[in-house]
Amino acid sequence: MRQRLVVIGNGMAGARTVEEILARGGDFAITMFGDEPYGNYNRIMLSNLLAGVEEESGIFLNDLSWYADNDITLHAGVRVERIDRAAKVVHASDGTVTPYDTLIVATGSSSWTPPIKNISNPKRGYHQGVFAFRTLDDTRGMIRYARDHERAVVIGGGLLGLEAARGLQNHVSRVTLLHAMGHLMNVQLDERAGTMLKDSVESRLGIKVILNAMTTEVLGKDRVTGVKLADGTVIEADVVVVAAGIRPNTRVAADSGLTVERGIVVDDHMRAEGEDDIYVVGECAQHRGELYGLVAPLWEQAKVLADQVTGRDRDAAYHGSKLHTKLKVAGIDVASMGLKEPESDDDEVIVYSEPKKGLYKQVIIRDNVLVGATLVGDNSKAAGLIQAFDQGRALPDVRAELLFDLGGPAAEVTPAEMPDDTQVCNCNGVSKGAICGVVEGGCKTVSGVMEKTRAGKGCGTCKPLVQRIVEWAAGGEAEEDPAASWYVPGVPMPKPELMRAIRQYGLKSVSAVFDKLVPNGQHDAKSKMGLASLLKMMWADQYIDERDARFINDRVHANIQRDGTFSVVPQMKGGVTTPAQLRKIAEVAEKYGVPMVKLTGGQRIDLLGIPKEQLPAIWADLDMPSGYAYAKSFRTVKTCVGSDYCRFGVGDSTALGIALEERYQGLEGPGKMKLAVTGCPRNCAEAYVKDLGVVAIDGGKWEIYVGGAAGAHIRKGDLLATVDSADEVIRLTGRFLQYYRENANWLERTYSFVPRIGVDRIREIVVDDSDGIAARLDDAVEQAVRSYRDPWKERAVPATPGQFRTSLPLTVLPQVPVR
C-alpha cells in the first residue's frame, strides 16, 4: 500500500516540494490542500500581471491538469483547520478528514495589515477601495477597481510596495507611495542606496514618495476617499494598496500543538521540532531562528525535504541560505546580497555614487571575502558579485574591478567559466547545471529549456543569460523552436499552411485535422479549442461540430464561474433594452433564485450563480438571444445615446451600434471582439479602447479605430479610416474582422495583432484593397453572417444527452460578501 502524503498548502513552496518528491520517484498517494481555488501560480509574477505585461495564463506554474496527470488529489479553495497529530489526520473546512503517514506544512505567509483606523471591518474585510497585494484574487480586484478611479496610495516602500506602485500606473493617473521608514527598501538597502532609488522612482517613473509616513487612518464612509498621516497630512485617494510586509501563516500549526515562535520551528532536515512525520517548508518555516521570504532558499529547503521524505538521501540537511537578489524594482535595476552596511572598523568598504544618473554601488569586504554588496541603477556586475559572495571566491587586488571593467571591454563571465552550481534564475532556483542537463537531454531550444526548467519564467531578467547558456551548451547556437510558429501546439503547421491543408483535404472536423495532419494521428486536447474556432471560421455552416472539441463554456453556451455555476448574459443590442425585457429578467431572477444580478461593462445584465441544469429553462423563460459573453467571438457593441438625446452628439451611435451587433453577432474569432460606437469625440462609449471603435465627427463622418484595449492591457486604437456613411462603417468592420479572423494567431487579441501587422499595412489591405482580396473578405464574412444560429435554441433539443446534466456540487468555496 502506498504511503499517504498530505501537503497543507498549494503555493510555490508546497508545489515545488511535491515536484521534487515526484522527480525522485517518490511513490505516494498525494493529497494537497490550498486556500485558493486554482492550481499553483508564481506570486512573483503578480506585479507583471498588475502592470499589464503578463496574462493570467502566463503566471501559472502548474494548472489543474498537472495534478490529475500526477495522480494528486487537490482540494482547491479548502483550508485545513486542524491537525490531529495523535490520530494522524487533518480536518478541513469542508468537513473532510484526511489521514496521513507523512505531513508537509507549507502554509506560506499572508499580508500584514498595520493598525490603521477604518482600514477594515471585522465582518466585511477591507474597506471598499482597500486591497492587499498577495494573491491572484487581490490583483484581479485591484485591476477591476482601479480602472474606474484615478488616484492610488500604496502603503509600504519595500519591494512589493514599489512593484504595486509601478503596476498601478497602468490603471490610474496618480500614484503616491508611503513608507514608514527613512528610506526605501530599508531591509535590503542602506540609506544612500535607498535615497538613490527614491530619486529614480520619482524622477523616472513619476511616483510621489513620502518617507517617515505613518498612516493612521483610511478616510471615506462608504468607500475610500483618502488617507491621513500621523502629522495630520491628508492624501486624497480612490485606491489604497497595503504592501507593508508579510507574516507567516502559523495558526493551524500553533492550534495543533506544533512549536511556533515567529514561524514553525524546524530542524536541519526540515522536520517540525519534536515530530517524526511532520515537515515544514517555505515562508512559514523558522530554521535556526531565521525566516526566509525569497524563492531561492525555499527551493533549497524543498530539495532537502524531498530527499528526506523519499529516503533518497537521509544525510541531506539544510544549513541556511546566503541571501542575495538581482531584479528590476519598478523597472530599476537593483541587486543586494549579504550585509548592507559594515559591522566593524576592519570591514573594507568601496562605494561609488553618481546621483544624477541614479547609480549607486557598494561592496563590503572582510578578510578578503565579499560579505555584502548593493547595486542600484546598474546590475551589469551583479552575476560576478553573487558568485563571489556565494562561493567565497578570491577577490581582485584592485577592488574597483568588482564594480567596473577597467582598461578594456566588459569582461563578462562566459557560460564556460561558470561553475555548474551557479544560480542563473533566482526566482525559480535554476542553476547552470540544470539548464545544461536539459540541453544534453535533447532539448536545444531556448523556449523549450525555459519551459522544462522554468528559468526566465519569473521576473525575466535572466532570460539573456539563459539564452547564452543554452547556445553554449548546444555547441554554439540554440535551435530555433519550430513550435513557436504553430497555430496550435498539437498540429505542426503555421496558420497559413494549416489553412491551406484544411482546404486541400476538405477537413471539416477537429478529429479529421488530427487524423490527417498530425503524425500518428495523435489528438491534443490543448489544440482542440483553437482548431474548432478556425474550422468554424473557414467552413461556417459546413463545419462538423464535435462537442469534445469545445471548452465547457462553448458546450453549454454560458460562462463557468469559480464554484461550478454559470452566468447568463442575454443580448441587448447596442446596450438598449425595453421595459418588457427588464421585466422578464427580473421575473426569471426571482423564479430561479438567481444569487446575483449585475450590470456588465458591456451594457448588459448578467445573471450569476446558475446551475448548469437550469440553463435551458432560464433561456426559455427569458426568450432572448445569447449575448455571447462566454466565447472567443464577437461579444457586444457598446454605445452612447448618440444624436437623438445628447446635446453633443453628431452621429446616431445607438442605431449604428445596433446594426453592427445585429449583423456580426456570434462571429467566431481567435480572440474576443469587443466593439463600441460613440456619437462624438467626447467618447462616452470608450470607442478608442475597443477591438474596433467607431467615433462620429462633424460633417456626418465616422472614424474607425482598431486594436484598442482597456483590460489588463491598455492601448488606444489606431485610426484605420474615416468614412462618410454608416454603411461604409458596417462594410469595413466586417472586412477588418474577417482579415483578423484569418490572420491572427489563436488567442491573439487585436491589441497585439494590429501592432504586429501594422495599421498601415492593414489599411492597405482592408481599405485600399492593395492585395485585391477585399471582395473575398466581404464574401467570407457574409457567409459567416448567414450561418448564424442562436445557440440558446439548443434548449429544445440538447446536442448531447449530458449537455445540461448537473455537475454540482463542486467543492464549496468561501463566499465574498456583497457590500
Side-chain angles (χ1 to χ4, degrees):
M1 181 177 176
R2 290 195 300 169
Q3 291 278 298
R4 298 165 299 188
L5 174 66
V6 172
V7 183
I8 304 175
N10 187 37
M12 294 175 70
R16 180 59 172 251
T17 302
V18 171
E19 289 178 349
E20 295 285 355
I21 290 170
L22 294 173
R24 287 159 176 75
D27 186 22
F28 294 92
I30 302 175
T31 301
M32 300 183 72
F33 291 85
D35 281 359
E36 298 180 69
Y38 315 109
N40 168 238
Y41 61 87
N42 189 343
R43 292 191 195 281
I44 297 169
M45 299 294 283
L46 290 175
S47 56
N48 284 351
L49 183 63
L50 179 63
V53 299
E54 186 65 73
E55 301 280 358
E56 279 192 12
S57 59
I59 75 170
F60 275 88
L61 300 172
N62 299 306
D63 61 18
L64 295 176
S65 64
W66 176 81
Y67 299 85
D69 292 343
N70 288 283
D71 196 24
I72 297 169
T73 300
L74 172 65
H75 296 277
V78 180
R79 176 171 295 187
V80 170
E81 302 285 2
R82 183 168 61 89
I83 304 165
D84 187 333
R85 294 150 56 219
K88 298 186 73 170
V89 298
V90 297
H91 296 262
S93 58
D94 62 353
T96 58
V97 179
T98 305
Y100 66 84
D101 297 303
T102 301
L103 178 67
I104 297 174
V105 180
T107 47
S109 296
S110 297
S111 292
W112 176 67
T113 304
I116 298 172
K117 184 178 179 181
N118 294 335
I119 199 168
S120 63
N121 181 296
K123 295 181 179 179
R124 298 187 312 178
Y126 282 124
H127 193 53
Q128 183 166 327
V130 177
F131 300 89
F133 187 29
R134 180 68 180 166
T135 68
L136 177 56
D137 283 347
D138 291 337
T139 310
R140 285 173 169 172
M142 213 184 306
I143 291 171
R144 285 194 298 266
Y145 196 83
R147 284 173 182 163
D148 300 321
H149 297 88
E150 291 298 324
R151 304 162 301 180
V153 161
V154 177
I155 300 173
L159 171 61
L160 199 61
L162 285 159
E163 291 291 350
R166 178 61 166 160
L168 282 167
Q169 287 189 302
N170 199 45
H171 306 282
V172 300
S173 60
R174 192 172 78 203
V175 179
T176 302
L177 181 68
L178 307 178
H179 191 44
M181 307 305 288
H183 65 273
L184 295 179
M185 289 186 67
N186 53 284
V187 174
Q188 294 88 4
L189 305 180
D190 65 14
E191 184 175 355
R192 285 174 294 182
T195 299
M196 195 80 68
L197 180 60
K198 172 182 179 290
D199 293 342
S200 294
V201 167
E202 290 189 320
S203 63
R204 290 169 53 183
L205 304 181
I207 296 171
K208 182 178 181 181
V209 178
I210 303 178
L211 301 174
N212 300 305
M214 294 296 297
T215 307
T216 57
E217 185 177 356
V218 171
L219 306 177
K221 182 178 180 182
D222 300 319
R223 63 184 184 278
V224 169
T225 60
V227 297
K228 179 185 281 188
L229 305 185
D231 63 3
T233 300
V234 172
I235 301 170
E236 294 181 344
D238 313 301
V239 182
V240 173
V241 176
V242 182
I246 58 175
R247 296 292 184 272
N249 292 322
T250 59
R251 184 188 62 79
V252 67
D255 290 349
S256 304
L258 297 180
T259 303
V260 174
E261 294 174 357
R262 290 191 301 150
I264 307 168
V265 179
V266 299
D267 61 18
D268 287 356
H269 293 161
M270 301 310 297
R271 280 193 185 90
E273 186 175 85
E275 303 294 329
D276 293 329
D277 302 307
I278 300 178
Y279 295 79
V280 187
V281 67
E283 293 172 335
C284 62
Q286 178 182 318
H287 176 263
R288 299 188 184 182
E290 295 293 329
L291 299 171
Y292 295 96
L294 296 176
V295 171
L298 311 190
W299 286 183
E300 294 172 16
Q301 294 176 5
K303 291 175 181 177
V304 171
L305 198 162
D307 281 339
Q308 290 292 332
V309 166
T310 60
R312 174 83 167 267
D313 181 4
R314 294 295 188 186
D315 295 326
Y318 178 66
H319 300 297
S321 298
K322 298 181 74 173
L323 297 181
H324 54 76
T325 184
K326 177 176 79 78
L327 67 168
K328 281 188 180 291
V329 179
I332 299 166
D333 285 327
V334 174
S336 173
M337 62 206 76
L339 300 181
K340 61 179 182 179
E341 294 175 331
E343 293 181 340
S344 74
D345 293 340
D346 294 332
D347 287 342
E348 185 180 349
V349 183
I350 296 93
V351 178
Y352 176 81
S353 177
E354 195 171 350
K356 287 187 178 181
K357 292 187 177 180
L359 294 178
Y360 178 82
K361 303 183 181 188
Q362 173 188 266
V363 294
I364 303 173
I365 299 168
R366 180 181 300 163
D367 299 328
N368 206 37
V369 174
L370 183 68
V371 294
T374 303
L375 305 174
V376 175
D378 176 16
N379 276 352
S380 60
K381 303 296 287 185
L385 288 170
I386 289 173
Q387 289 179 38
F389 174 72
D390 265 347
Q391 300 160 18
R393 289 167 55 174
L395 304 180
D397 292 333
V398 180
R399 304 304 198 198
E401 291 178 9
L402 290 167
L403 302 177
F404 305 98
D405 298 303
L406 304 179
E412 187 174 45
V413 178
T414 67
E417 296 171 320
M418 293 179 183
D420 281 349
D421 61 356
T422 300
Q423 186 152 292
V424 176
C425 178
N426 293 324
C427 294
N428 288 312
V430 184
S431 68
K432 173 202 167 186
I435 293 172
C436 293
V438 171
V439 176
E440 290 165 6
C443 180
K444 298 184 179 181
T445 66
V446 175
S447 60
V449 170
M450 289 174 61
E451 191 65 33
K452 289 179 180 292
T453 64
R454 292 183 182 154
K457 292 279 192 175
C459 68
T461 56
C462 66
K463 285 181 181 178
L465 180 55
V466 173
Q467 180 169 350
R468 291 201 303 274
I469 293 172
V470 172
E471 290 172 348
W472 171 78
E477 187 173 347
E479 293 178 359
E480 184 178 347
D481 185 0
S485 65
W486 298 351
Y487 181 63
V488 289
V491 183
M493 291 182 177
K495 187 174 185 179
E497 183 182 340
L498 175 59
M499 291 176 65
R500 285 195 296 271
I502 288 171
R503 289 196 179 98
Q504 178 183 350
Y505 297 111
L507 307 175
K508 297 180 181 179
S509 70
V510 171
S511 59
V513 172
F514 285 132
D515 293 343
K516 184 68 178 178
L517 303 181
V518 177
N520 301 318
Q522 186 174 352
H523 289 218
D524 175 58
K526 293 182 179 179
S527 301
K528 288 184 176 182
M529 280 180 61
L531 287 175
S533 173
L534 180 65
L535 292 170
K536 278 185 273 188
M537 184 272 292
M538 293 178 64
W539 297 111
D541 54 3
Q542 297 179 53
Y543 163 67
I544 300 173
D545 186 17
E546 295 170 323
R547 306 301 282 198
D548 70 341
R550 298 187 182 200
F551 180 56
I552 178 62
N553 287 3
D554 299 292
R555 293 200 298 271
V556 301
H557 313 302
N559 196 5
I560 194 168
Q561 305 299 303
R562 62 187 292 180
D563 61 354
T565 62
F566 292 82
S567 72
V568 168
V569 181
Q571 186 183 63
M572 291 181 176
K573 295 171 184 173
V576 176
T577 186
T578 65
Q581 284 185 339
L582 294 174
R583 196 174 297 114
K584 278 185 181 179
I585 292 170
E587 289 169 352
V588 164
E590 288 182 344
K591 178 178 177 179
Y592 294 93
V594 175
M596 179 179 284
V597 181
K598 183 103 174 48
L599 296 177
T600 76
Q603 299 179 334
R604 298 184 291 189
I605 293 177
D606 194 352
L607 307 178
L608 292 139
I610 297 171
K612 184 170 72 169
E613 64 272 16
Q614 289 185 358
L615 291 172
I618 286 179
W619 295 339
D621 288 353
L622 284 172
D623 194 26
M624 297 169 65
S626 167
Y628 279 89
Y630 53 83
K632 299 291 183 279
S633 67
F634 184 100
R635 289 289 187 90
T636 184
V637 183
K638 189 172 183 177
T639 70
C640 64
V641 296
S643 56
D644 281 354
Y645 293 96
C646 179
R647 64 184 187 276
F648 300 105
V650 294
D652 192 348
S653 57
T654 305
L656 179 52
I658 291 172
L660 285 168
E661 192 159 350
E662 283 181 342
R663 177 159 177 77
Y664 299 118
Q665 57 190 343
L667 197 66
E668 288 282 342
K672 294 179 285 189
M673 294 170 279
K674 298 181 179 182
L675 282 70
V677 184
T678 192
C680 75
R682 295 168 70 92
N683 192 32
C684 293
E686 302 161 356
Y688 294 121
V689 288
K690 297 297 182 184
D691 293 290
L692 187 144
V694 183
V695 180
I697 59 175
D698 289 333
K701 297 180 182 295
W702 300 89
E703 293 177 334
I704 303 174
Y705 291 83
V706 294
H713 292 77
I714 308 294
R715 183 180 192 272
K716 182 181 178 182
D718 297 322
L719 180 63
L720 177 68
T722 301
V723 299
D724 295 324
S725 69
D727 288 341
E728 289 179 89
V729 171
I730 294 171
R731 187 179 73 256
L732 288 181
T733 295
R735 195 178 293 170
F736 168 76
L737 293 180
Q738 183 63 24
Y739 182 72
Y740 163 67
R741 295 169 77 213
E742 293 183 4
N743 293 279
N745 297 320
W746 172 235
L747 301 181
E748 182 181 27
R749 292 288 299 274
T750 62
Y751 60 73
S752 297
F753 172 74
V754 170
R756 177 169 68 84
I757 303 298
V759 72
D760 292 337
R761 176 60 180 152
I762 293 173
R763 186 182 299 113
E764 290 174 358
I765 295 168
V766 171
V767 181
D768 303 331
D769 194 20
S770 62
D771 290 19
I773 63 171
R776 185 189 62 74
L777 294 174
D778 293 344
D779 290 343
V781 79
E782 176 64 28
Q783 185 180 3
V785 166
R786 287 199 304 267
S787 68
Y788 167 77
R789 302 288 184 275
D790 179 11
W792 285 2
K793 296 297 184 184
E794 284 184 5
R795 63 179 181 262
V797 182
T800 64
Q803 184 179 10
F804 301 111
R805 184 181 299 145
T806 180
S807 58
L808 298 176
L810 296 182
T811 301
V812 178
L813 300 175
Q815 299 298 302
V816 180
V818 178
R819 292 172 178 154

